[in-house]
Each structure stands twice: as structure tokens, then as C-alpha cells.
Amino acid sequence: MISIVHGLKEYHLEPKVGARYSYRFETIVDDFSNERSPVQKSYIREVQIMPIGREGYLDIYQIFTAKISIKSNVAVADEYLIKQIGYAFDEIEAGVDYTGKIVRIFNMKELSSRWDKTSRELAVEYEGSFIQSYFGEISMILNDETRLIEFLSTYKMFGLYFHGLFGNYLLWEMPIVRRKTIEDFKNSEVEEQIHPEKKDGVRYKIRGRSSNVDKYEGELLYNDYQLQEALIEIEDNMQSVKYATLFLG
């Protein structure tokens, strides 16, 4: 039996220490729950991803969020607050294994300490039990490495780049099947099927199945061992959410 999967036997990133890769991560939400007044919001992060070395079997990356912006066809309430919460997950030092999956966070204390200071400053302007509870939830994530890794690995954060799909591919083990939880759809569980192939670069085609969503599909496109663009689109009868990543240089 031929073991090569659509021309692809194996695939890994080849991080170059000292390089700086610029990406745009975007989450686009189309809310059509009100047919007369559909709402579109786009949350955009300009991110620098920098390989800085190795520790044991892990490649170490710095992930720096240079800018956060929000676009919408309606006014966005508390835009400043949303951005400050986004910057809580900035300047991350992550350990990544050979599959491209985040498995360690090396600067937990710095992240937690910075958020403690930011949340105290925000609490002066934003009051109420809901806000305080939300701030507390962020604090718990930043003090729990497992929860932080899970959050950073979601598609709305950095899961389109650090996805854990690299490795050796055997025809009889295809497609790659895994389960994902999608927070933006009431934490629905989806069974993903991923088909890697080599055709005009390397492509990962993704399809998902769930009783709670009507559409779940996407792809990751690579060239010269570098992610060029990625998109996951999920839709139910109330909204469509697109998670997108684009290589800027």
C-alpha cells in the first residue's frame, strides 16, 4: 500500500531563530438573528511571531500583539475595554512541539502580574459584578497553564497557526480526526476531519460535523514551510463566524 498521502509524506515547520513573521489574525462575526438589522463585527490583531530558540525538544516562540482594531457596521460598546482585555494575551513565550502545538508557557508569572495591574486600573472605570467576575475569569486563565494553552489554541486566538497537525502522514490513517469545542457557538463540540495534501504548496482541508452547526469548513495553505493564509468558517441559523489568518511578511 502506498503510504504517501496526496503527494505528502510528512510536513513540519522549520522555524528560523531570529526571524520575525507578521500576521493578521481576524475574527469576523455576521449576526443575522435579526433579519432586518444584520450586524457584522470584525476583530483584528496584527501579530509578530518570532522563533527565539529551543529548550529540550521544544521550539520557543515569542508572540507579540502589535495592534488590535475593531470594525463594525454598528457602534461597538466598550471598545477600549475589549482591546485592553485582548492585550492581556500579549508578549507570550510559548514552547511548541514538533506537531506545531503549544505545550508550555514560559512567562506565566509576567502575564499574570501584568493583568493584575491592568485589571486594577480598569476596575476604576468599569464597575459591576459582571465585570468583576469576567476579570476574575481572565485571572484564573492566566494563572493556570493548562487553561491558558487551551485558550491560546482556539481558532479565535492562535489555533490557526499553532494547530498540532504536523507530522508523518500515512494513507491508512487519513483523514486526521479530532474533536474541537467552539466557544462562539455555545461550546458546541465538533468532529473535525483534516485532509493534508501537496498541490501548489501544502494544503490542509478541514471539514467538521456537529448537530449544532450547519456549516464547518476551512483550509490552511503553506508555502516554503510558512503558513500563507488560513480560514475556518462556521455557521448556524443565527450567525456566521470566520476565523482568518494572513501572512503579511
Side-chain angles (χ1 to χ4, degrees):
M1 180 179 290
I2 299 174
S3 63
I4 294 178
V5 179
H6 299 297
L8 190 66
K9 185 176 181 180
E10 62 178 313
Y11 200 69
H12 303 274
L13 283 185
E14 294 186 355
K16 298 178 181 179
V17 174
R20 182 187 297 261
Y21 305 109
S22 298
Y23 282 89
R24 183 174 69 229
F25 289 81
E26 184 172 9
T27 300
I28 304 168
V29 180
D30 286 290
D31 182 345
F32 35 79
S33 56
N34 185 341
E35 294 182 359
R36 295 183 178 181
S37 302
V39 175
Q40 183 179 83
K41 294 181 181 179
S42 177
Y43 303 88
I44 303 166
R45 292 169 295 141
E46 296 178 13
V47 175
Q48 303 281 324
I49 297 176
M50 296 163 283
I52 61 172
R54 286 184 64 87
E55 181 165 315
Y57 69 97
L58 300 178
D59 292 304
I60 305 175
Y61 289 80
Q62 282 188 339
I63 307 169
F64 173 68
T65 301
K67 182 180 179 182
I68 297 175
S69 56
I70 302 173
K71 297 180 180 179
S72 178
N73 63 341
V74 297
V76 178
D78 297 324
E79 181 173 345
Y80 175 77
L81 175 62
I82 294 170
K83 290 180 178 179
Q84 292 307 304
I85 291 173
Y87 285 122
F89 302 94
D90 180 25
E91 297 183 39
I92 298 162
E93 288 190 9
V96 178
D97 69 10
Y98 75 100
T99 72
K101 180 181 179 180
I102 297 174
V103 296
R104 287 286 310 278
I105 302 296
F106 291 104
N107 61 332
M108 293 285 298
K109 289 184 178 179
E110 292 88 342
L111 294 172
S112 178
S113 177
R114 189 174 67 220
W115 170 246
D116 286 344
K117 179 182 178 182
T118 299
S119 62
R120 286 195 300 269
E121 294 172 351
L122 291 172
V124 175
E125 299 182 44
Y126 299 91
E127 300 178 347
S129 59
F130 176 79
I131 288 292
Q132 295 306 313
S133 176
Y134 192 59
F135 286 177
E137 179 68 18
I138 295 171
S139 296
M140 286 190 287
I141 291 173
L142 290 170
N143 282 284
D144 185 328
E145 186 176 27
T146 299
R147 290 187 65 184
L148 179 56
I149 289 172
E150 288 176 353
F151 179 66
L152 296 176
S153 300
T154 61
Y155 288 140
K156 69 192 306 178
M157 291 300 292
F158 304 109
L160 288 174
Y161 190 93
F162 300 107
H163 47 61
L165 293 174
F166 299 128
N168 300 313
Y169 305 120
L170 301 175
L171 187 60
W172 53 86
E173 294 179 351
M174 293 295 111
I176 301 168
V177 178
R178 64 181 185 180
R179 301 199 69 81
K180 296 282 286 187
T181 299
I182 41 178
E183 294 180 348
D184 291 322
F185 290 81
K186 300 179 180 179
N187 290 317
S188 296
E189 281 201 352
V190 174
E191 181 184 88
E192 281 190 343
Q193 295 188 354
I194 301 102
H195 297 264
E197 65 178 29
K198 188 174 183 180
K199 183 179 181 181
D200 298 326
V202 171
R203 181 189 310 263
Y204 293 81
K205 292 185 176 180
I206 301 174
R207 296 288 185 272
R209 295 186 298 181
S210 171
S211 59
N212 297 319
V213 298
D214 302 318
K215 180 179 183 180
Y216 190 109
E217 61 186 31
E219 63 180 8
L220 316 174
L221 301 176
Y222 285 83
N223 190 28
D224 295 329
Y225 299 98
Q226 189 65 42
L227 178 66
Q228 300 299 308
E229 59 181 310
L231 175 69
I232 298 289
E233 184 174 1
I234 309 172
E235 185 176 309
D236 64 10
N237 63 339
M238 302 291 284
Q239 66 173 351
S240 168
V241 180
K242 301 181 184 72
Y243 307 102
T245 301
L246 180 66
F247 180 48
L248 302 178

